Amino acid sequence: MDFSGSHILSIDQFERSDVEKLFSLAESLEPYSNKEKITKVLDGAILGNMFFEPSTRTRISFGASFNLLGGSVREITEAGSSSLAKGESLADTAQVLSGYSDIIVLRHPDEGSVRKFSESSRVPVINGGDGSNEHPSQALLDLYTIKKELSQNSKTVDGLKIALVGDLKFGRAVHSLCKILSLYDNVKIKLISPEELRLPEKDTQLLQSKNVTLEETENLEEGIKDVDIIYVTRVQEERFKNKDDAKKYKGLLSLNKEIYTANCEPNTVIMHPLPRDSRKHANELDSDLYENPNLAIFRQADNGISIRMALFALVLGVEDQVEKTSRAVNWHVTRDH
Amino acid sequence: MDFSGSHILSIDQFERSDVEKLFSLAESLEPYSNKEKITKVLDGAILGNMFFEPSTRTRISFGASFNLLGGSVREITEAGSSSLAKGESLADTAQVLSGYSDIIVLRHPDEGSVRKFSESSRVPVINGGDGSNEHPSQALLDLYTIKKELSQNSKTVDGLKIALVGDLKFGRAVHSLCKILSLYDNVKIKLISPEELRLPEKDTQLLQSKNVTLEETENLEEGIKDVDIIYVTRVQEERFKNKDDAKKYKGLLSLNKEIYTANCEPNTVIMHPLPRDSRKHANELDSDLYENPNLAIFRQADNGISIRMALFALVLGVEDQVEKTSRAVNWHVTRDH
Amino acid sequence: MDFSGSHILSIDQFERSDVEKLFSLAESLEPYSNKEKITKVLDGAILGNMFFEPSTRTRISFGASFNLLGGSVREITEAGSSSLAKGESLADTAQVLSGYSDIIVLRHPDEGSVRKFSESSRVPVINGGDGSNEHPSQALLDLYTIKKELSQNSKTVDGLKIALVGDLKFGRAVHSLCKILSLYDNVKIKLISPEELRLPEKDTQLLQSKNVTLEETENLEEGIKDVDIIYVTRVQEERFKNKDDAKKYKGLLSLNKEIYTANCEPNTVIMHPLPRDSRKHANELDSDLYENPNLAIFRQADNGISIRMALFALVLGVEDQVEKTSRAVNWHVTRDH
């Protein structure tokens, strides 16, 4: 598919060849995200970074990615929009805001709102998360991380064995990741969660229809044996009707050095969409894993930059022009990936 | 008047020749707002986009306009300033903030505050709205829209027949628009509002002293016959002492397809300063008018970009240099005006 | 010391030679802060301007300084971070945010938090204020102002006589200023405060160990005789456990024209870290001093730009490249220093 001029609303828009094209572009952009070079390919373009729900890191990641391509960023960071409060429809908001920028990233608390907004937008819209529905750039950066980490061990996504750990019911990242993994062959997923936070049936059915092998367990030690990747998630307490219900699941599935060492293959990679809850009662990923070279959680966050740069470049159709305005970085780079 | 280095505080600063000079500049900037070209004429300049009252769209519109000229934007979006809370005078705030930028746009809830701020500012200040007092860029973009829409039908602002509909008492946009219309010849204004929300007497007196023909009515169907433009406004409930009072006026004057078709000339243009209240009990402009090509409300919002670019260019004295740093747009432009 | 790639956490990192190198760089950057020239030396670089506590002017000053070097700015302005609320550790936040920018300015309400953050950051961090602990750029701009103002009267910081007035107990700016003044010879400080708001003993001991001459008094008139600089501060009521306690100190030490004229040398310079509390009950610096050419408070705020530009240039190691990308300003500059 040619994404030039398209909205990016759902991971369902991506076929395997699209994913691979995107990843190849993302990889070619790494010298820019790693600060070996700069490009001004989007000099003069404006991103409308519209966050109608707080999300510091996703907002900054999209904004920084656009800056790295040379573009400018205008932002909404308010939880509530003054115009929506005055009774404006989402269609009107889309019409007006799309007159102010060349591309929009929209984060909105309501499921389906980003699609609705995109129908009235005159510029391409990227879904930056709509309620518990979709957050496609997260799934893409997760898969990109899996691919890169596996390639260190000469493995591929075809044949992947992955354990998904934690709140599989409410975790939006997990649902989208499952969908995108189903594009690959011979994938085996171990679902590790408390009974009440199991992956929803519609997701398990989808996976089975795509020939993904599934195993479910409530036992962490057992589930993480013989996998390439452990993908841990936070209990999404903000999605529980009763917050006290959430508390009983916190701390049930905590991965630490001892459990990892006793059960995992030597190169098993640890991922997490972040933020991880490091408070004692939750502690889903213990800080004693900090020194483990297989802890990929910050490389995963970093990968968001290359993936989002690639999405912007594809949608704005400049993927072949990045090099043209490229030049060396002239400041002292301390950053270490 | 030479606006280079001047504050833009009130629509009263503009004579007809100033308005026409500004509009001619705005028109010449449309290839930039339409993304046919980019310019870097204000590369290196900083806008202080200081909003001490929430106003997402006006803030983004000013910021995007400055970006389109190549400049950078620093912003205040907080409703309350931490410094004002510590007892700082507006004069001190102006002194300090004007040391950080080359030009300031100030939105502030208090009438007269922007003028007061400008007296201590060391850089030019543009009034982005001070309470129910002034919002000059809105009046200018409204008139610019009227002129452009009329010219499609080979008409001019001289001889204009316009209906102003809704809350004519509290609507700041309407007051400023009346003032600027009074610079033109043979203008005829139909004022359509509930008795209690009539245009204030000082405005009607001003208009009559400038030979503007006025007619008042509470009847929408009657008022919109034989006009070139219908300018609809929202009931400004936030300005009512008693919010319940506002409710009884909501929905009294709702324009929809049926009323439009039965009463209007075929090319009658529909405008609205936005946001329009689309909730059922208000619905001042029905969504069944969405497909009507004479619905100019989003072109009107778009025009804000060219007008604000023109204001920046005039005040910073770069109107003759825009072309020098001009180049083609290299990304895929989907936007359709 | 070579600051390239270093964190700037505390004024204690600076020796006299470092201060002088920084000031010499700041001076060379004044044509840029004064808008005589622009530079693009940091074109392509991104500042993460992360304010986890509201501070409009410090935030804008850092952001504008980075823009003046040609860089882009991504910002956090929320009082509370959504990620911290979800239980994320400061170390994780640092890891993630440092993947999004080339340098970070961090303002945080907790003492010591900026140092802790810097330990996990992969890019240099500048302390933008951590609680009542440190705010090194404020001390540097204060000393820079003192040096510049004194040089007008052919005086130097060696031999300085300065009166510190007001809340010397809670004023972070005063504590850091004392530390940096102790690097100079023959400095004489008059401490003027209510008994209960005296400079903490650890500060007086430090000053005495460095051979700074100290005198303490509660009498403003007496204290400001025979000094080069009067540095007035606000009662930091937000730091008092009981806000009513703060009130009794407000207005006790108010400098006005009459007191100044009766007691000061003709060229005695007046400084204040701002914001000053101009409400009648406080009024630490009367507005009747507005016309006094020795009132340096706004020059002091302006100096923050050159100092912060110099800090960025040093830490990113571009101090020798600023001129290379320099060009003339092409817009109408009204700003008057």
Side-chain angles (χ1 to χ4, degrees):
Chain A
M1 183 186 161
D2 178 8
F3 285 96
S4 169
S6 298
H7 303 304
I8 306 286
L9 302 176
S10 164
I11 206 65
D12 295 337
Q13 292 171 264
F14 289 82
E15 301 195 18
R16 181 165 170 167
S17 60
D18 299 321
V19 171
E20 279 161 13
K21 186 181 164 191
L22 182 79
F23 287 1
S24 151
L25 178 56
E27 211 174 339
S28 76
L29 292 169
E30 294 206 346
Y32 302 96
S33 51
N34 287 336
K35 305 290 172 165
E36 293 153 29
K37 301 198 268 187
I38 74 160
T39 176
K40 303 291 284 179
V41 68
L42 287 182
D43 191 18
I46 298 175
L47 165 66
N49 209 18
M50 307 302 182
F51 278 65
F52 290 94
E53 183 183 61
S55 172
T56 302
R57 73 187 55 217
T58 304
R59 178 172 62 80
I60 304 277
S61 176
F62 272 113
S65 301
F66 206 75
N67 283 156
L68 286 175
L69 293 166
S72 298
V73 181
R74 305 272 34 94
E75 283 189 328
I76 293 177
T77 60
E78 296 100 296
S81 156
S82 50
S83 300
L84 292 174
K86 289 170 186 165
E88 184 170 71
S89 69
L90 203 55
D92 274 20
T93 305
Q95 281 278 359
V96 172
L97 292 184
S98 61
Y100 299 160
S101 55
D102 299 289
I103 184 167
I104 286 175
V105 171
L106 182 66
R107 157 75 61 117
H108 196 284
D110 301 339
E111 286 191 34
S113 55
V114 177
R115 183 175 299 275
K116 210 174 151 199
F117 181 99
S118 74
E119 287 161 5
S120 299
S121 172
R122 293 170 287 154
V123 300
V125 175
I126 295 179
N127 188 348
D130 58 328
S132 55
N133 185 33
E134 285 264 9
H135 186 13
S137 64
Q138 179 70 44
L140 290 164
L141 75 89
D142 284 344
L143 181 60
Y144 185 62
T145 303
I146 291 170
K147 186 173 179 269
K148 281 178 69 176
E149 297 289 328
L150 290 181
S151 77
Q152 302 285 320
N153 305 327
S154 307
K155 295 178 186 172
T156 64
V157 183
D158 292 316
L160 170 71
K161 291 171 286 183
I162 184 170
L164 304 178
V165 183
D167 177 357
L168 307 185
K169 182 178 179 188
F170 293 112
R172 176 175 58 189
V174 160
H175 304 171
S176 299
L177 180 57
C178 284
K179 277 188 188 177
I180 205 168
L181 285 176
S182 73
L183 299 176
Y184 287 79
D185 298 330
N186 300 316
V187 172
K188 187 169 172 180
I189 303 182
K190 295 205 188 173
L191 302 165
I192 311 172
S193 70
E195 172 70 19
E196 295 83 354
L197 300 181
R198 289 171 62 195
L199 194 69
E201 214 176 292
K202 73 174 169 74
D203 294 278
T204 54
Q205 284 175 352
L206 173 85
L207 289 169
Q208 282 161 337
S209 75
K210 300 283 185 72
N211 293 316
V212 173
T213 309
L214 292 183
E215 274 178 44
E216 291 195 74
T217 175
E218 296 186 49
N219 184 307
L220 180 64
E221 282 87 342
E222 188 184 308
I224 61 175
K225 283 187 212 298
D226 187 34
V227 296
D228 306 305
I229 308 272
I230 306 172
Y231 189 101
V232 184
T233 65
R234 188 174 57 85
V235 175
Q236 310 276 310
E237 57 189 308
E238 64 275 29
R239 303 272 161 76
F240 280 73
K241 274 169 199 157
N242 181 343
K243 305 258 154 172
D244 285 333
D245 280 354
K247 279 187 194 148
K248 48 182 179 187
Y249 304 114
K250 293 242 167 199
L252 278 189
L253 296 167
S254 290
L255 183 64
N256 61 25
K257 191 175 176 179
E258 189 186 337
I259 297 174
Y260 180 92
T261 311
N263 296 282
C264 292
E265 303 289 305
N267 288 322
T268 300
V269 173
I270 305 164
M271 293 175 60
H272 191 298
L274 301 183
R276 60 173 163 172
D277 190 339
S278 292
R279 290 171 294 191
K280 265 188 198 149
H281 67 277
N283 199 32
E284 54 234 10
L285 211 48
D286 197 282
S287 60
D288 66 7
L289 290 161
Y290 217 87
E291 300 299 320
N292 187 326
N294 297 300
L295 184 77
I297 59 177
F298 304 121
R299 293 192 291 273
Q300 185 182 359
D302 284 352
N303 286 333
I305 295 285
S306 308
I307 286 294
R308 287 170 179 134
M309 289 177 77
L311 284 171
F312 287 134
L314 274 186
V315 170
L316 291 172
V318 295
E319 66 271 34
D320 297 332
Q321 300 175 59
V322 174
E323 282 298 322
K324 276 189 208 167
T325 55
S326 165
R327 68 164 178 73
V329 160
N330 60 316
W331 62 89
H332 179 92
V333 176
T334 44
R335 185 159 143 200
D336 174 40
H337 287 273
Chain B
M1 182 184 161
D2 178 8
F3 285 96
S4 170
S6 298
H7 303 304
I8 305 286
L9 303 175
S10 164
I11 206 63
D12 296 337
Q13 291 171 263
F14 288 81
E15 301 195 18
R16 181 165 171 166
S17 61
D18 300 320
V19 172
E20 280 162 11
K21 184 180 165 193
L22 181 79
F23 286 2
S24 151
L25 177 57
E27 212 174 339
S28 77
L29 292 170
E30 294 205 347
Y32 302 96
S33 52
N34 288 335
K35 305 289 172 164
E36 295 154 27
K37 299 198 271 186
I38 74 158
T39 176
K40 303 292 284 181
V41 68
L42 287 184
D43 191 17
I46 299 174
L47 164 65
N49 209 19
M50 307 302 183
F51 278 66
F52 290 95
E53 184 183 59
S55 172
T56 302
R57 73 188 54 218
T58 304
R59 177 172 63 80
I60 304 278
S61 175
F62 271 113
S65 301
F66 206 75
N67 282 155
L68 287 175
L69 293 167
S72 299
V73 181
R74 306 271 33 94
E75 282 189 330
I76 293 176
T77 59
E78 296 100 296
S81 157
S82 51
S83 301
L84 292 174
K86 290 171 186 164
E88 184 170 71
S89 68
L90 203 56
D92 274 19
T93 304
Q95 281 278 359
V96 172
L97 292 183
S98 62
Y100 298 159
S101 56
D102 298 290
I103 184 166
I104 286 173
V105 170
L106 182 66
R107 159 75 60 116
H108 197 283
D110 301 338
E111 286 191 35
S113 55
V114 178
R115 181 174 300 277
K116 209 174 152 198
F117 181 100
S118 74
E119 288 161 5
S120 298
S121 171
R122 292 170 288 154
V123 300
V125 175
I126 295 180
N127 188 347
D130 58 327
S132 54
N133 185 34
E134 286 263 8
H135 186 13
S137 64
Q138 179 70 45
L140 290 164
L141 77 88
D142 284 344
L143 182 60
Y144 185 62
T145 304
I146 291 170
K147 185 171 180 273
K148 281 178 70 176
E149 298 288 330
L150 291 181
S151 76
Q152 302 285 320
N153 305 327
S154 308
K155 295 178 186 172
T156 64
V157 184
D158 293 315
L160 169 71
K161 290 171 288 183
I162 185 171
L164 304 177
V165 182
D167 177 356
L168 308 185
K169 183 178 178 188
F170 293 111
R172 176 175 58 187
V174 160
H175 303 171
S176 298
L177 180 57
C178 284
K179 275 189 187 174
I180 204 168
L181 285 175
S182 73
L183 299 175
Y184 288 78
D185 298 330
N186 300 315
V187 172
K188 187 170 172 179
I189 302 182
K190 293 204 188 173
L191 303 163
I192 310 172
S193 70
E195 172 70 20
E196 296 82 356
L197 300 182
R198 291 171 60 195
L199 194 69
E201 216 176 292
K202 74 176 170 68
D203 293 277
T204 55
Q205 284 176 350
L206 172 85
L207 290 169
Q208 283 161 336
S209 75
K210 299 285 186 69
N211 292 317
V212 173
T213 308
L214 292 183
E215 273 179 44
E216 291 195 75
T217 174
E218 297 185 49
N219 186 305
L220 180 65
E221 282 87 340
E222 189 184 305
I224 61 173
K225 284 186 211 297
D226 188 35
V227 297
D228 307 304
I229 307 270
I230 307 173
Y231 188 102
V232 184
T233 65
R234 187 174 58 85
V235 175
Q236 309 275 309
E237 57 189 307
E238 65 275 28
R239 303 273 160 75
F240 280 74
K241 275 170 199 157
N242 182 341
K243 305 257 155 171
D244 285 334
D245 280 354
K247 278 186 194 150
K248 48 183 180 187
Y249 305 113
K250 294 244 167 197
L252 278 190
L253 297 167
S254 291
L255 183 64
N256 61 25
K257 192 174 174 179
E258 190 186 337
I259 297 174
Y260 179 93
T261 311
N263 297 282
C264 291
E265 303 288 308
N267 289 321
T268 301
V269 173
I270 306 166
M271 293 175 61
H272 191 298
L274 302 181
R276 60 173 163 171
D277 191 338
S278 291
R279 289 171 294 192
K280 265 187 197 151
H281 66 275
N283 199 32
E284 54 234 10
L285 210 49
D286 198 283
S287 59
D288 66 7
L289 290 161
Y290 218 85
E291 300 299 318
N292 187 324
N294 297 301
L295 185 76
I297 59 177
F298 304 122
R299 293 192 290 273
Q300 184 181 357
D302 284 351
N303 286 333
I305 295 284
S306 308
I307 286 293
R308 288 172 178 133
M309 288 177 78
L311 284 172
F312 287 133
L314 273 187
V315 169
L316 291 173
V318 295
E319 66 270 33
D320 297 332
Q321 300 176 59
V322 174
E323 283 298 322
K324 274 188 211 169
T325 55
S326 166
R327 66 165 178 73
V329 161
N330 60 317
W331 62 89
H332 179 91
V333 177
T334 45
R335 186 160 144 199
D336 175 40
H337 287 275
Chain C
M1 181 184 163
D2 178 8
F3 285 95
S4 170
S6 299
H7 303 305
I8 305 286
L9 303 175
S10 164
I11 206 64
D12 295 337
Q13 291 171 262
F14 288 82
E15 301 194 19
R16 181 165 171 166
S17 61
D18 299 321
V19 172
E20 278 162 13
K21 184 180 166 193
L22 181 79
F23 286 2
S24 150
L25 177 56
E27 211 173 339
S28 77
L29 292 169
E30 294 206 347
Y32 302 96
S33 51
N34 288 335
K35 306 289 171 165
E36 293 154 29
K37 299 197 271 187
I38 74 159
T39 176
K40 304 291 284 179
V41 69
L42 287 183
D43 192 16
I46 299 175
L47 165 66
N49 209 19
M50 307 302 184
F51 278 66
F52 290 94
E53 182 184 62
S55 172
T56 303
R57 73 188 54 219
T58 303
R59 178 173 62 81
I60 304 278
S61 176
F62 272 112
S65 301
F66 206 74
N67 283 155
L68 287 175
L69 293 166
S72 298
V73 181
R74 304 270 36 91
E75 282 190 328
I76 293 177
T77 60
E78 298 99 295
S81 158
S82 51
S83 301
L84 292 175
K86 290 171 187 163
E88 183 170 72
S89 69
L90 204 56
D92 274 19
T93 305
Q95 282 279 359
V96 173
L97 292 183
S98 62
Y100 298 160
S101 57
D102 299 290
I103 185 168
I104 286 174
V105 170
L106 182 66
R107 158 74 61 117
H108 197 284
D110 300 339
E111 286 192 35
S113 55
V114 178
R115 183 174 298 276
K116 209 174 152 198
F117 181 100
S118 74
E119 287 161 6
S120 298
S121 172
R122 291 170 289 153
V123 299
V125 175
I126 296 179
N127 188 348
D130 58 327
S132 55
N133 185 34
E134 286 265 7
H135 187 10
S137 65
Q138 179 70 45
L140 290 165
L141 77 88
D142 283 344
L143 182 60
Y144 185 62
T145 304
I146 290 170
K147 185 171 179 272
K148 282 178 69 176
E149 297 288 329
L150 290 181
S151 77
Q152 302 286 318
N153 305 327
S154 309
K155 295 178 186 171
T156 65
V157 183
D158 292 314
L160 169 71
K161 290 171 288 183
I162 184 171
L164 304 177
V165 183
D167 177 355
L168 308 185
K169 183 177 178 189
F170 293 111
R172 175 175 59 188
V174 159
H175 303 171
S176 298
L177 180 57
C178 283
K179 276 188 188 176
I180 205 169
L181 285 175
S182 73
L183 299 175
Y184 287 79
D185 298 329
N186 299 316
V187 172
K188 188 170 173 179
I189 302 182
K190 294 204 187 173
L191 302 164
I192 312 173
S193 71
E195 172 70 19
E196 295 82 356
L197 299 182
R198 288 171 62 193
L199 193 70
E201 215 176 292
K202 74 176 168 73
D203 294 279
T204 54
Q205 282 174 353
L206 173 85
L207 290 169
Q208 281 161 338
S209 75
K210 298 287 185 70
N211 292 317
V212 174
T213 308
L214 292 183
E215 275 178 42
E216 292 195 75
T217 174
E218 296 185 49
N219 184 307
L220 179 65
E221 283 87 341
E222 189 185 307
I224 61 174
K225 284 186 212 298
D226 188 35
V227 296
D228 306 305
I229 307 271
I230 307 173
Y231 189 100
V232 184
T233 65
R234 186 175 60 85
V235 176
Q236 308 277 309
E237 58 189 307
E238 66 274 28
R239 303 273 162 75
F240 281 74
K241 274 170 200 156
N242 182 343
K243 305 258 154 171
D244 285 334
D245 280 355
K247 279 188 192 146
K248 49 183 180 187
Y249 304 113
K250 294 243 167 199
L252 277 190
L253 295 168
S254 290
L255 184 63
N256 61 24
K257 190 175 175 176
E258 191 186 336
I259 296 174
Y260 180 92
T261 311
N263 296 282
C264 292
E265 303 289 306
N267 288 322
T268 300
V269 173
I270 305 165
M271 294 174 61
H272 191 298
L274 301 182
R276 60 174 162 169
D277 190 340
S278 292
R279 290 171 293 192
K280 264 188 198 148
H281 66 276
N283 200 31
E284 54 235 10
L285 210 49
D286 198 283
S287 60
D288 67 6
L289 289 161
Y290 217 85
E291 300 298 319
N292 188 325
N294 297 301
L295 185 77
I297 59 177
F298 303 121
R299 293 192 290 273
Q300 185 182 357
D302 284 351
N303 286 334
I305 295 285
S306 307
I307 286 294
R308 287 172 179 134
M309 289 177 77
L311 284 171
F312 287 133
L314 274 187
V315 170
L316 291 172
V318 296
E319 66 270 33
D320 297 332
Q321 300 175 59
V322 174
E323 283 298 322
K324 276 188 209 168
T325 56
S326 164
R327 68 166 178 72
V329 161
N330 60 316
W331 63 88
H332 179 92
V333 177
T334 45
R335 184 160 145 198
D336 174 40
H337 287 274

